[in-house]
Amino acid sequence: MTIQAVVFDLDGVIIDSEEVWEEVRRGYVAEHGREFLPDTQTRMMGMSTPEWARHLAEDVGVELPPERVADDVLTRMAARYHESLPVIPGAVDAVRRIAASYPVGLASSSARVLIDRVLAESGLDQVFRVVLSTEEVPRGKPAPDVYLTAAQRLGFDPAVCAAIEDSSNGLRAAAAAGMTVICVPHGVYPPAQDALDASSLVVPSLADLTDEALAKL
């Protein structure tokens, strides 16, 4: 089935922020006398803001309300982005190139305040027809909610949409939504094999995703 719309993830696809998130959240947890659980980092990749804040408060043991945890971490992330926005080389141009041929949406697990900052500072704030945070849907990734909603707002059946993802939970979410999945695997946090197996195409970076490859999906 010919692809008619493309939905992008943000972290790990357009900006190289996964390590920044880990550094900030690990530091915050350590300040409160706690440590990440063995699976905390992988579990949080794809979670919505309320979900990961609740995980840090209730499972990891930061003794603050989840709302306070979220506010504290997001404030630190915004400061890091202000210092230096970690845009992946070639990603912005690739988004613009793809947007010239397809309606495009963004389906991110980041908080809306961070999404808006990234889009404004990267010059992509007028490119996406639909921008969604998992804060705005009932469940974060790996649930398909954010991708289903993005397709609906774009006006397309998920079956004719491609989703571009890097993380295990993001790939699972896009596949569960019924989209054609394109994987841009992260070098530090490679996706699990089951998530990778759900991908129709794997490319080293967004810049390597050619118009010809999209047209063949």
Side-chain angles (χ1 to χ4, degrees):
M1 190 174 293
T2 303
I3 296 302
Q4 298 180 32
V6 179
V7 184
F8 295 79
D9 179 36
L10 180 64
D11 296 276
V13 173
I14 298 172
I15 57 171
D16 192 10
S17 54
E18 302 289 11
E19 290 176 87
V20 181
W21 274 106
E22 180 173 5
E23 182 181 333
V24 167
R25 290 189 288 210
R26 276 190 185 275
Y28 182 76
V29 165
E31 288 174 17
H32 291 272
R34 302 296 182 185
E35 295 182 357
F36 269 23
L37 303 177
D39 64 345
T40 286
Q41 177 59 24
T42 54
R43 283 178 63 183
M44 287 194 299
M45 292 176 72
M47 282 185 175
S48 66
T49 300
E51 288 170 340
W52 62 250
R54 189 163 54 249
H55 172 69
L56 294 182
E58 297 176 1
D59 300 330
V60 176
V62 175
E63 295 180 349
L64 290 171
E67 296 79 9
R68 170 66 184 278
V69 173
D71 287 345
D72 289 348
V73 171
L74 293 177
T75 296
R76 296 183 186 199
M77 286 297 298
R80 291 289 296 271
Y81 284 177
H82 181 71
E83 292 171 10
S84 178
L85 189 65
V87 177
I88 295 172
V92 170
D93 288 342
V95 171
R96 291 186 179 278
R97 170 173 51 79
I98 294 167
S101 301
Y102 299 89
V104 295
L106 187 76
S108 174
S109 296
S110 277
R112 188 62 188 239
V113 64
L114 295 183
I115 295 171
D116 290 345
R117 176 183 288 272
V118 170
L119 295 184
E121 294 190 11
S122 64
L124 292 175
D125 49 330
Q126 300 299 316
V127 173
F128 295 101
R129 296 192 188 184
V130 171
V131 175
L132 274 173
S133 165
T134 51
E135 291 178 331
E136 302 167 74
V137 295
R139 300 172 297 172
K141 303 170 186 177
D145 302 29
V146 72
Y147 279 110
L148 292 173
T149 304
Q152 180 184 41
R153 293 188 183 179
L154 282 168
F156 293 93
D157 189 294
V160 297
C161 297
I164 305 175
E165 270 285 357
D166 68 304
S167 71
S168 296
N169 284 337
L171 295 165
R172 292 171 183 137
M179 294 187 175
T180 297
V181 183
I182 300 169
C183 179
V184 183
H186 195 284
V188 178
Y189 310 103
Q193 190 60 49
D194 73 285
L196 198 58
D197 290 343
S199 303
S200 297
L201 179 66
V202 180
V203 292
S205 72
L206 198 52
D208 294 302
L209 179 58
T210 65
D211 295 341
E212 292 77 14
L214 269 173
K216 290 178 181 178
L217 291 173

